[in-house]
Short mmCIF file of all heavy atoms in Angstrom, two decimals:
data_model
loop_
_atom_site.label_atom_id
_atom_site.label_comp_id
_atom_site.label_asym_id
_atom_site.label_seq_id
_atom_site.Cartn_x
_atom_site.Cartn_y
_atom_site.Cartn_z
N LEU U 136 -7.03 -12.83 -4.66
CA LEU U 136 -6.32 -11.62 -4.27
C LEU U 136 -6.93 -11.02 -3.03
O LEU U 136 -6.31 -10.57 -2.05
CB LEU U 136 -6.33 -10.65 -5.34
CG LEU U 136 -5.32 -10.90 -6.51
CD1 LEU U 136 -5.32 -9.65 -7.41
CD2 LEU U 136 -3.87 -11.03 -6.05
N MET U 137 -8.28 -10.99 -3.08
CA MET U 137 -9.07 -10.28 -2.02
C MET U 137 -8.88 -11.03 -0.61
O MET U 137 -8.60 -10.47 0.40
CB MET U 137 -10.53 -10.37 -2.35
CG MET U 137 -11.41 -9.43 -1.59
SD MET U 137 -12.94 -9.38 -2.52
CE MET U 137 -14.06 -8.80 -1.22
N ILE U 138 -8.94 -12.40 -0.73
CA ILE U 138 -8.67 -13.16 0.53
C ILE U 138 -7.22 -13.06 1.02
O ILE U 138 -7.00 -12.98 2.23
CB ILE U 138 -9.14 -14.64 0.25
CG1 ILE U 138 -10.70 -14.66 0.14
CG2 ILE U 138 -8.80 -15.54 1.50
CD1 ILE U 138 -11.19 -15.95 -0.39
N ALA U 139 -6.32 -13.10 0.03
CA ALA U 139 -4.86 -13.00 0.41
C ALA U 139 -4.61 -11.69 1.04
O ALA U 139 -4.00 -11.56 2.19
CB ALA U 139 -4.01 -13.11 -0.82
N MET U 140 -5.15 -10.60 0.49
CA MET U 140 -4.89 -9.20 1.16
C MET U 140 -5.55 -9.16 2.54
O MET U 140 -4.97 -8.62 3.45
CB MET U 140 -5.54 -8.21 0.24
CG MET U 140 -4.72 -7.98 -1.05
SD MET U 140 -5.10 -6.44 -2.06
CE MET U 140 -6.51 -6.98 -2.91
N THR U 141 -6.75 -9.69 2.74
CA THR U 141 -7.48 -9.71 3.96
C THR U 141 -6.58 -10.46 4.99
O THR U 141 -6.34 -9.95 6.11
CB THR U 141 -8.76 -10.34 3.77
OG1 THR U 141 -9.60 -9.68 2.81
CG2 THR U 141 -9.59 -10.35 5.09
N HIS U 142 -6.07 -11.60 4.52
CA HIS U 142 -5.34 -12.45 5.51
C HIS U 142 -4.03 -11.65 5.91
O HIS U 142 -3.64 -11.73 7.04
CB HIS U 142 -4.99 -13.75 4.83
CG HIS U 142 -4.13 -14.73 5.80
ND1 HIS U 142 -4.79 -15.24 6.83
CD2 HIS U 142 -2.90 -15.06 5.76
CE1 HIS U 142 -3.93 -15.99 7.44
NE2 HIS U 142 -2.84 -15.87 6.78
N LEU U 143 -3.30 -11.04 4.95
CA LEU U 143 -2.06 -10.42 5.21
C LEU U 143 -2.20 -9.24 6.18
O LEU U 143 -1.40 -9.02 6.97
CB LEU U 143 -1.44 -9.85 3.91
CG LEU U 143 -0.75 -10.99 3.08
CD1 LEU U 143 -0.43 -10.35 1.71
CD2 LEU U 143 0.48 -11.50 3.74
N THR U 144 -3.35 -8.48 6.01
CA THR U 144 -3.48 -7.29 6.82
C THR U 144 -4.20 -7.52 8.20
O THR U 144 -3.89 -6.86 9.10
CB THR U 144 -4.24 -6.15 6.05
OG1 THR U 144 -5.29 -6.74 5.30
CG2 THR U 144 -3.30 -5.44 5.18
N ALA U 145 -5.14 -8.48 8.22
CA ALA U 145 -5.92 -8.67 9.40
C ALA U 145 -5.09 -9.24 10.53
O ALA U 145 -5.53 -9.17 11.67
CB ALA U 145 -7.17 -9.54 9.07
N THR U 146 -4.01 -9.92 10.28
CA THR U 146 -3.24 -10.60 11.27
C THR U 146 -2.31 -9.67 12.00
O THR U 146 -1.71 -10.02 13.02
CB THR U 146 -2.45 -11.84 10.76
OG1 THR U 146 -1.80 -11.38 9.62
CG2 THR U 146 -3.43 -12.89 10.49
N GLU U 147 -2.06 -8.45 11.45
CA GLU U 147 -0.98 -7.57 12.02
C GLU U 147 -1.48 -6.74 13.19
O GLU U 147 -0.57 -6.26 13.96
CB GLU U 147 -0.57 -6.55 11.00
CG GLU U 147 0.18 -7.21 9.83
CD GLU U 147 0.54 -6.20 8.74
OE1 GLU U 147 0.03 -5.07 8.82
OE2 GLU U 147 1.27 -6.51 7.77
N LYS U 148 -2.73 -6.49 13.31
CA LYS U 148 -3.14 -5.45 14.27
C LYS U 148 -3.44 -5.98 15.72
O LYS U 148 -3.68 -7.16 15.88
CB LYS U 148 -4.47 -4.80 13.68
CG LYS U 148 -4.37 -4.50 12.30
CD LYS U 148 -3.40 -3.34 11.94
CE LYS U 148 -3.23 -3.19 10.44
NZ LYS U 148 -2.35 -2.12 10.04
N THR U 149 -3.50 -5.00 16.59
CA THR U 149 -3.90 -5.42 17.95
C THR U 149 -5.14 -4.57 18.37
O THR U 149 -5.33 -3.59 17.77
CB THR U 149 -2.79 -5.14 19.00
OG1 THR U 149 -2.38 -3.73 18.80
CG2 THR U 149 -1.57 -6.02 18.77
N SER U 150 -5.88 -5.15 19.29
CA SER U 150 -7.12 -4.33 19.59
C SER U 150 -6.99 -3.32 20.58
O SER U 150 -7.30 -2.17 20.40
CB SER U 150 -8.21 -5.45 20.01
OG SER U 150 -7.69 -6.06 21.17
N LYS U 151 -6.45 -3.59 21.74
CA LYS U 151 -6.31 -2.65 22.75
C LYS U 151 -5.00 -1.72 22.58
O LYS U 151 -4.22 -2.07 21.79
CB LYS U 151 -6.15 -3.34 24.15
CG LYS U 151 -7.47 -4.03 24.61
CD LYS U 151 -8.23 -3.04 25.35
CE LYS U 151 -9.59 -3.59 25.78
NZ LYS U 151 -10.48 -2.55 26.23
N PHE U 152 -5.05 -0.58 23.42
CA PHE U 152 -3.85 0.27 23.22
C PHE U 152 -2.64 -0.41 23.77
O PHE U 152 -2.61 -1.01 24.85
CB PHE U 152 -4.12 1.63 23.99
CG PHE U 152 -2.82 2.35 24.17
CD1 PHE U 152 -2.49 3.19 23.15
CD2 PHE U 152 -2.04 2.24 25.27
CE1 PHE U 152 -1.22 3.88 23.15
CE2 PHE U 152 -0.85 3.03 25.41
CZ PHE U 152 -0.44 3.75 24.35
#
Side-chain angles (χ1 to χ4, degrees):
Chain U
L136 284 185
M137 197 166 158
I138 293 168
M140 288 193 278
T141 305
H142 182 72
L143 282 170
T144 39
T146 48
E147 288 175 355
K148 318 286 174 181
T149 52
S150 58
K151 286 273 175 195
F152 168 81

